[in-house]
Amino acid sequence: MADRLTRDTVTAPTIEALLADPAASFAVKAVARRWARRDCVDAAVDARTLCTVFEAFADQMFGGVS
């Protein structure tokens, strides 16, 4: 699924595809359902912020750069 979620792909990912993907976690699907009702730009900014925070946290935990 991760490869299909990049902006570089020819086919843009959809919320419906994410929700139908058996490899997507229940947590990600729950957020997608809730955030689908939000302003899409606000949701994208918040998702990038969370990604940055958790990548930094993983770097701290594992002593490397993700």
Side-chain angles (χ1 to χ4, degrees):
M1 183 74 186
D3 291 337
R4 290 182 287 169
L5 292 179
T6 62
R7 295 188 77 185
D8 298 332
T9 58
V10 174
T11 304
T14 64
I15 294 167
E16 293 79 15
L18 174 67
L19 295 175
D21 188 344
S25 72
F26 291 111
V28 168
K29 289 179 181 183
V31 170
R33 283 186 194 97
R34 280 194 307 269
W35 287 17
R37 297 184 298 263
R38 297 181 57 198
D39 176 85
C40 60
V41 174
D42 289 344
V45 169
D46 289 349
R48 285 188 190 95
T49 300
L50 286 172
C51 182
T52 301
V53 167
F54 280 99
E55 283 181 345
F57 183 55
D59 288 346
Q60 286 179 332
M61 294 297 296
F62 298 107
V65 177
S66 55

